[in-house]
């Protein structure tokens, strides 16, 4: 075959550019013409949402390769802003139209189609509204970004909770735009199973996203330029803009009009060499129909990896190599704020639909050794053939380590491995990265145990509606049970089980469960060896709750209620019952999406910074509205419950998240009014006698903390303490000589104070100031400003002022003068009085 080929490629991004570059690497002689309708070739469509949200700050970074670069390095004839209008297969030419409207013919020996897929825009009235955007390319993101930059939108609707919708949601939240995410399905991220998607929905709520599942947009009207969405729930809401991201459909117009074969799914039909029904025409990327690796059925799986590999294979085949595309398994991953969700192979719902036999297990191990900081729970679902253990699919959700596990499982699936093979995989391990038994090994053990019959498994459907000949056994501790269990479960903690076997009926099958499945497994092993029939709930109560959430049934036994006994009678509530909970991501009282109206990132701030921010945010909310605040300060976890208890606001949830704490707090007005200003015990007085820098800092930290907790704080500055309040610049005032001398000798203002110890000619103070800055502790002037803003009363002792010759004009703004009587009266009303 001669290399003097003329290869014409339609579409210059993932599949097209890959084909072109590979073709040049294989042939220096070929003439390669890359035709692209848009202005850019080879741009990073996958990075577009991150550019909008600001994580990718430099637009040019999205342009992975430029037309000029491709021309220079690969001698590719790149023709941008040129559209291929039709294919004349008989004459082996395409007709193109350039940006000036001129049409011309381009002949080919081989034609490669990589036109991609276009966003779906169903015929819903108003979807053509100018502020309903779709996102596919640079031009689209430029339009959206320009709108956002110019109009500073406050409310966005994102229609569709697939990966583009989720990424755009996060981008808008990064821009502090309120987002309503509307999804027709009852779950986000459609390719995975609903119970695996449930944590994502909770996480979106935590980030202030108003998530509407099972909701369709019925029409879009216009109100003064704004799109007004009518939802299937009957609601009508105006937004500043909307993003339509409900899926893509392959661009097949050229292929269809040229009479090329289109597959049953609507994509261009190709063989394993990426050749269409015309041997001189290849097609790659989102426009083609693929065969699913596991399902062995035709599928549309629009992903960048397959598009790139297919481009390479097409080029190989054009130059006579026997490269074959070995099907698509749908390995994908999506970032949803602090979580990642990934999958490979078939989902359970797809397996059910295809009528394929399968078994499944769930595990919830740590992303790395639990004792090493930062370990996060990783929820992993493995689907396999119960007969031979062949891996059929896997899904994972977690804050860390999802990509690694899904990639390992994708490789195992591609290699045709079984769950038994997973047990033997030797994966890299050190405490910061994994566990000696990696989650993948662990999933293999659990699945292999099930196949070997070491333990029989049961699932949500079994335990949510147990038969009369079955009994539910919760083997967790009573403390765990108090935080929620499955209705009608009997509680016998695992460690008591051997001694209490007689309490279990021998004529019933026992459905055992624990938190994640391990203790349930151990219980089943004990029971089985004592002759009792038992099955273990895979994934335990954690998976059960995810299912309950996904089925929108909530928890049958909400947190803070005690376990129902086997007779169905409810025991008396025990200590802790009925309290507001702080139970983490699966907290039963997790905020409804709509109630979280503000998200605050207080990461990096030291105490009392996060509490001060929380206080300020709560002050601006209406009763019933919630704020979600994220902090890295370790004290925050203890401070927030105390703050809520003190102010009467409600702590809805407190979760750990990638080394941070995220608290959701609901404003309770009654609580505020129950603690009126000046109420006995709520006041705090601090006498600041010292002008030592460190003591002044300590006074203001306490004052700010107390103010944040709703206290009326009065700081009474006397003697040397007055120097803290002095203006730094000299003020012209009448003074006696002695007063003037006194003024010269004393430090003038917060900036001139010295450390009480280790001053070391200012070095000590510089060091401590540096450390404070590094640790994000507010500087003294900032603390003073914050105290003033929080309403802390700064009182200068008039008697001391007189003695030391300090005039009112010399003091910073917002200081009032007061005497001992005023101080004593305030102190008498307060609960705390400090002398510093
Ligand atoms: P494209 O890359 O879309 O390229 C097709 C090109 O053909 C277009 O530029 C189009 O202008 C041009 N064209 C079409 N018709 C003609 C014509 N008649 N004449 C001339 N030119 C024409 N995939 C992932 O795997 N991971 C991700 O994280 C991910 N994120 C994404 C985020 C966004 C916002 C988007 C839009 C896509 C994302 N994808 C992701 C999907 C991935 O980008 C696609 O699967 C991949 O780009 C498909 O490559 P392609 O060559 O088939 O089509």
């Amino acid at each position: 075959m001669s290399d003097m080929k003329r290869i014409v490629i339609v579409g210059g991004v993932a599949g097209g550019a890959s084909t072109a570059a590979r073709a040049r690497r294989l042939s220096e002689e070929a003439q390669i013409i890359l035709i692209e309708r848009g202005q850019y070739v080879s741009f990073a469509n996958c990075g577009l949402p991150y550019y909008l949200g600001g994580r990718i700050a430099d637009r040019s970074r999205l342009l992975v390769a430029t037309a000029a670069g491709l021309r220079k390095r690969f001698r590719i004839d790149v023709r941008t802003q040129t559209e291929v209008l039709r294919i004349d297969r008989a004459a082996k030419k395409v007709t193109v139209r350039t940006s000036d409207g001129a049409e011309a013919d381009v002949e080919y020996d081989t034609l490669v189609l990589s036109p991609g897929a276009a966003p779906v825009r169903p015929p819903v009235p108003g979807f053509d509204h100018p502020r309903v955007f779709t996102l596919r390319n640079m031009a689209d993101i430029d339009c959206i970004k320009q709108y956002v930059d110019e109009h500073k939108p406050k409310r966005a609707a994102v229609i569709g909770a697939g990966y583009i919708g989720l990424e755009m949601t996060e981008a808008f939240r990064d821009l502090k735009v309120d987002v309503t995410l509307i999804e027709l399905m009852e779950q986000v991220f459609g390719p995975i199973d609903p119970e695996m998607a449930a944590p994502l929905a909770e996480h979106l709520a935590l980030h202030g996203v108003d998530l509407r599942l099972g909701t369709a947009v019925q029409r879009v009207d216009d109100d003064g330029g704004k799109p007004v969405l009518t939802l299937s729930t009957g609601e009508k809401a105006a937004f500043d803009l909307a993003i339509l991201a409900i899926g893509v459909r392959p661009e097949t117009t050229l292929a269809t009009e040229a009479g090329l074969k289109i597959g049953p799914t609507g994509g261009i039909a190709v063989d394993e060499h990426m050749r269409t029904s015309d041997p001189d025409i290849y097609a790659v990327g989102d426009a083609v129909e693929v065969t699913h690796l596991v399902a062995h059925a035709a599928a549309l799986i629009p992903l960048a990896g397959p598009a790139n590999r297919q481009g390479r294979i097409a080029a190989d085949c054009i130059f006579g190599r026997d490269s074959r595309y070995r099907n698509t398994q749908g390995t994908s991953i999506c970032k949803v704020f602090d979580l990642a969700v990934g999958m490979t192979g078939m989902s359970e719902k797809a397996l059910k639909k295809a009528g394929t036999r399968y078994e499944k297990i769930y595990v919830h191990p740590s992303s790395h050794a639990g004792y090493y900081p930062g370990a996060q729970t990783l929820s992993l679902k493995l689907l396999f053939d119960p007969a031979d253990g062949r891996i059929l699919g896997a899904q994972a959700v977690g804050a860390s380590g999802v990509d690694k596990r899904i990639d390992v499982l994708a490789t195992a699936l591609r290699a045709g491995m079984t769950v038994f093979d997973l047990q033997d995989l030797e994966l890299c391990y050190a405490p910061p990265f994994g566990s000696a038994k990696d989650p993948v090994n662990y999933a293999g053990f659990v699945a292999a145990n099930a196949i070997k019959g070491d333990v029989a498994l049961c699932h949500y459907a079994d335990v949510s509606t147990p038969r009369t000949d079955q009994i539910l056994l919760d083997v967790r501790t009573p403390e765990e049970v108090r935080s929620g269990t499955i209705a009608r479960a009997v509680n016998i903690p695992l460690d008591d089980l051997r001694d209490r076997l007689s309490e279990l009926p021998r004529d019933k099958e026992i459905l055992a469960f624990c938190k994640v499945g391990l203790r349930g497994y151990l219980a089943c092993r004990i029971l089985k060896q004592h002759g009792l029939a038992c099955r273990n709930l895979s994934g335990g109560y954690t998976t059960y709750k995810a299912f309950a959430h996904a089925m929108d049934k909530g928890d049958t036994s909400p947190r803070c209620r005690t376990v129902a006994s086997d007779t169905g009678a409810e025991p008396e509530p025990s200590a802790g019952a009925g309290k507001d909970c702080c139970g983490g991501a699966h907290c039963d009282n997790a905020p409804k999406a709509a109630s979280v109206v503000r998200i605050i990132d207080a990461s990096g701030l030291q105490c009392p910074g996060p509490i001060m921010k929380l206080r300020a945010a709560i002050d601006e909310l209406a009763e019933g509205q919630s704020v979600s605040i994220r902090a890295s300060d370790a004290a925050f976890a203890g401070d927030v419950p105390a703050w809520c208890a003190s102010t009467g606001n409600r702590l809805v949830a407190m979760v750990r998240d990638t080394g941070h704490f995220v608290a959701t707090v609901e404003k309770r007005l009654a609580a505020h009014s129950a603690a009126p200003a000046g109420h006995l015990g709520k006041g705090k007085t601090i006498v600041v006698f010292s002008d030592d820098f460190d003591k002044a800092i300590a006074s203001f930290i306490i004052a700010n903390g107390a103010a944040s907790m709703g206290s009326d704080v009065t700081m009474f500055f006397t003697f040397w303490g007055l120097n803290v309040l002095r203006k730094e610049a000299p003020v012209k005032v009448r003074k006696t000589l002695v007063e003037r001398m006194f003024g010269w000798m004393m430090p003038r203002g917060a900036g001139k104070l010295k450390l009480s110890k280790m001053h070391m000619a200012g070095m000590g103070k510089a060091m401590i100031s540096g450390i404070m800055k590094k640790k994000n502790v507010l500087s003294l002037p900032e603390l003073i400003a914050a105290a003033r803003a929080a309403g802390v009363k700064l009182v200068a002792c008039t008697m001391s002022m007189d003695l030391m010759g300090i005039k009112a004009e010399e003091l910073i703004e917002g200081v009032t003068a007061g005497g001992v009587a005023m101080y004593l009266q305030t102190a008498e009303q307060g609960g705390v009085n400090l002398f510093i």
Side-chain angles (χ1 to χ4, degrees):
M1 190 173 297
S2 158
D3 273 6
M4 293 292 289
K5 276 174 174 293
R6 177 178 252 236
I7 303 167
V8 172
I9 302 167
V10 184
V13 190
S18 293
T19 312
R22 176 72 176 166
R24 173 58 72 227
R25 289 197 292 275
L26 295 179
S27 167
E28 275 293 300
E29 291 175 11
Q31 186 183 357
I32 303 167
I33 302 169
L34 186 66
I35 305 176
E36 167 56 49
R37 184 169 54 195
Q39 197 183 343
Y40 302 98
V41 287
S42 199
F43 59 87
N45 12 26
C46 310
L48 301 178
Y50 301 106
Y51 167 58
L52 177 71
R55 285 171 199 248
I56 299 172
D58 181 356
R59 180 181 180 276
S60 68
R61 300 295 302 272
L62 296 170
L63 306 173
V64 181
T66 59
L70 287 179
R71 277 187 206 113
K72 196 162 183 211
R73 177 157 301 172
F74 295 104
R75 279 211 293 116
I76 293 167
D77 179 357
V78 181
R79 304 185 189 178
T80 52
Q81 293 178 295
T82 303
E83 182 171 12
V84 175
L85 299 176
R86 57 193 160 266
I87 305 166
D88 183 342
R89 286 169 56 196
K92 292 185 79 171
K93 63 178 188 186
V94 293
T95 305
V96 301
R97 182 169 50 211
T98 46
S99 53
D100 57 6
E103 291 192 10
D105 287 344
V106 182
E107 293 182 353
Y108 65 81
D109 294 316
T110 305
L111 180 66
V112 181
L113 301 178
S114 185
V120 173
R121 256 188 203 264
V124 168
F127 265 1
D128 56 353
H129 189 285
R131 287 205 208 156
V132 176
F133 299 92
T134 56
L135 177 59
R136 179 181 180 184
N137 52 33
M138 292 296 293
D140 295 336
I141 203 69
D142 286 343
C143 259
I144 297 169
K145 183 137 174 42
Q146 187 185 355
Y147 177 81
V148 166
D149 290 346
E150 281 175 12
H151 295 87
K152 307 272 179 280
K154 296 218 165 8
R155 294 190 71 196
V158 176
I159 307 164
Y163 67 82
I164 295 179
L166 289 167
E167 288 168 2
M168 288 300 280
T169 295
E170 187 173 338
F172 282 124
R173 293 302 297 137
D174 281 348
L175 295 170
K176 312 273 180 271
V177 175
D178 290 340
V179 181
T180 299
L181 177 58
I182 304 155
E183 168 58 53
L184 187 61
M185 293 171 70
E186 292 290 352
Q187 67 167 89
V188 301
F189 203 66
I192 61 166
D193 293 317
E195 77 283 9
M196 296 300 286
L200 301 176
E202 288 188 348
H203 194 66
L204 285 160
L206 197 62
H207 282 268
V209 176
D210 178 9
L211 177 62
R212 309 297 180 93
L213 293 175
T215 305
V217 177
Q218 291 185 322
R219 57 178 300 115
V220 179
D221 295 295
D222 179 78
D223 182 12
K226 289 189 176 191
V228 180
L229 272 57
T230 302
L231 306 182
S232 52
T233 52
E235 289 165 279
K236 241 179 163 184
F239 294 91
D240 295 314
L241 80 166
I243 303 291
L244 186 59
I246 56 172
V248 295
R249 55 160 185 75
E251 283 225 16
T252 53
T253 315
L254 279 178
T256 310
E257 287 176 1
L260 297 176
K261 188 174 168 208
I262 302 297
T265 61
I268 303 171
V270 289
D271 64 13
E272 58 189 341
H273 301 294
M274 307 312 298
R275 211 169 359 221
T276 66
S277 53
D278 180 331
D280 293 320
I281 304 179
Y282 290 75
V284 300
D286 288 358
V288 305
E289 177 176 279
V290 293
T291 302
H292 194 285
L293 180 74
V294 183
H296 306 295
L300 293 173
I301 305 178
L303 289 170
N308 278 275
R309 293 199 306 280
Q310 290 163 4
R312 183 183 165 90
I313 287 166
D316 278 358
C317 296
I318 291 168
F319 290 101
R321 296 194 177 198
D322 185 24
S323 289
R324 290 159 199 252
Y325 185 65
R326 298 198 293 139
N327 303 332
T328 302
Q329 63 193 84
T331 308
S332 54
I333 189 160
C334 179
K335 177 177 177 309
V336 184
F337 295 96
D338 306 310
L339 292 182
V341 52
M343 74 167 294
T344 190
M346 286 178 84
S347 63
E348 183 177 358
K349 56 190 174 188
L351 287 163
K352 266 191 189 148
K353 203 169 159 199
T356 308
R357 182 186 52 180
Y358 71 91
E359 179 53 287
K360 58 177 176 176
I361 59 102
Y362 300 87
V363 292
H364 304 279
S366 289
S367 53
H368 60 250
Y371 56 82
Y372 187 87
Q376 307 280 338
T377 300
L378 178 92
S379 294
L380 183 62
K381 176 177 184 178
L382 185 65
L383 295 140
F384 53 95
D385 186 329
D388 59 9
R390 196 169 46 91
I391 301 162
L392 301 173
Q395 300 167 25
V397 181
S400 143
V402 168
D403 50 349
K404 167 169 156 173
R405 277 59 191 221
I406 289 298
D407 278 348
V408 171
L409 289 165
T411 310
L413 189 154
R414 165 98 23 204
M417 286 185 180
T418 67
V419 299
F420 302 104
D421 297 319
L422 297 183
Q423 302 179 104
D424 300 328
L425 290 182
E426 188 176 309
L427 302 171
C428 58
Y429 161 63
F433 304 104
S435 304
K437 277 183 221 155
D438 189 85
V440 171
N441 301 129
Y442 186 45
F445 297 139
V446 174
N449 283 344
I451 295 180
K452 285 184 293 188
D454 289 348
V455 66
L457 298 179
C458 63
H459 297 293
Y460 175 81
D462 304 300
V463 296
S464 57
T465 48
R467 298 190 311 261
T468 50
D469 60 345
Q470 292 172 325
I471 176 173
L472 295 180
L473 173 65
D474 187 340
V475 297
R476 296 173 301 155
T477 62
E479 288 70 34
E480 289 175 279
V481 173
R482 249 175 245 129
S483 67
T485 187
I486 305 172
R488 292 188 296 284
V490 184
N491 177 218
I492 303 180
L494 176 67
D495 293 342
D496 301 346
L497 191 58
R498 287 186 187 87
D499 300 331
R500 294 175 60 184
L501 287 174
S502 60
E503 294 176 34
L504 292 168
R506 294 202 157 252
D507 58 343
K508 292 193 177 191
E509 182 187 39
I510 296 159
L511 305 180
F513 67 93
C514 60
K515 184 164 182 258
V516 294
L518 177 60
R519 281 173 289 169
Y521 163 60
L522 299 177
C524 280
R525 291 301 304 157
I526 295 171
L527 295 173
K528 195 175 172 188
Q529 291 176 63
H530 284 87
L532 285 108
C534 183
R535 283 196 281 157
N536 180 30
L537 176 63
S538 187
Y541 187 60
T542 304
T543 296
Y544 171 86
K545 285 184 75 179
F547 263 106
H549 190 283
M551 315 282 277
D552 203 20
K553 288 185 178 147
D555 188 359
T556 51
S557 179
R559 185 179 175 82
C560 308
R561 276 174 53 199
T562 47
V563 57
S565 76
D566 189 31
T567 60
E570 293 265 347
E572 287 298 302
S574 55
K579 269 199 248 163
D580 282 344
C581 64
C582 50
H586 295 281
C587 175
D588 308 315
N589 294 332
K592 293 285 167 282
S595 68
V596 176
V597 297
R598 286 213 47 197
I599 302 273
I600 299 167
D601 189 358
S603 315
L605 289 183
Q606 295 282 344
C607 172
I611 287 289
M612 286 159 64
K613 278 195 172 275
L614 175 60
R615 167 71 198 236
I618 283 281
D619 280 350
E620 288 173 13
L621 300 190
E623 186 174 26
Q625 290 182 325
S626 300
V627 60
S628 169
I629 176 163
R630 180 180 170 82
S632 50
D633 176 27
F636 186 68
D639 283 353
V640 176
W643 184 83
C644 287
S646 151
T647 58
N649 292 294
R650 189 170 80 102
L651 176 59
V652 180
M654 167 75 85
V655 295
R656 282 211 67 147
D657 178 77
T658 50
H660 290 66
F661 294 96
V662 181
T664 306
V665 178
E666 182 188 296
K667 176 156 179 167
R668 288 275 171 93
L669 268 188
H672 281 269
S673 54
H679 179 78
L680 190 64
K682 289 295 281 182
K684 311 274 183 286
T685 46
I686 303 173
V687 179
V688 185
F689 175 83
S690 165
D691 64 359
D692 288 335
F693 173 74
D694 38 356
K695 291 178 185 165
I697 292 262
S699 328
F700 275 99
I701 285 181
I702 295 168
N704 276 310
S708 303
M709 296 183 76
S711 290
D712 300 318
V713 184
T714 303
M715 298 179 80
F716 195 79
F717 294 83
T718 185
F719 280 91
W720 314 117
L722 283 173
N723 292 324
V724 179
L725 301 181
R726 289 178 73 191
K727 288 177 184 160
E728 294 194 11
V731 179
K732 276 198 174 167
V733 278
R734 269 179 179 276
K735 286 197 179 188
T736 64
L737 181 65
V738 178
E739 284 175 343
R740 226 174 295 157
M741 281 173 64
F742 234 88
W744 289 332
M745 288 185 295
M746 291 187 304
R748 200 162 47 213
K752 300 275 177 12
L753 307 186
K754 294 178 179 170
L755 266 184
S756 62
K757 286 187 178 158
M758 300 193 324
H759 185 62
M760 299 181 295
M763 264 168 61
K765 186 183 167 191
M767 275 161 63
I768 197 87
S769 299
I771 293 169
M772 284 170 63
K773 197 170 174 193
K774 207 164 152 199
K775 302 253 178 197
N776 277 321
V777 178
L778 297 183
S779 67
L780 183 52
E782 286 169 328
L783 282 167
I784 295 174
R788 279 169 50 194
V792 172
K793 271 192 225 127
L794 306 181
V795 181
C797 169
T798 43
M799 182 271 295
S800 303
M801 285 171 70
D802 194 32
L803 280 182
M804 299 168 79
I806 295 177
K807 311 291 175 201
E809 299 90 305
E810 290 180 274
L811 300 180
I812 58 173
E813 297 302 313
V815 176
T816 49
V820 176
M822 177 192 179
Y823 155 68
L824 286 174
Q825 191 206 9
T826 319
E828 266 170 19
Q829 286 177 347
V832 173
N833 183 25
L834 299 174
F835 187 93
I836 298 176

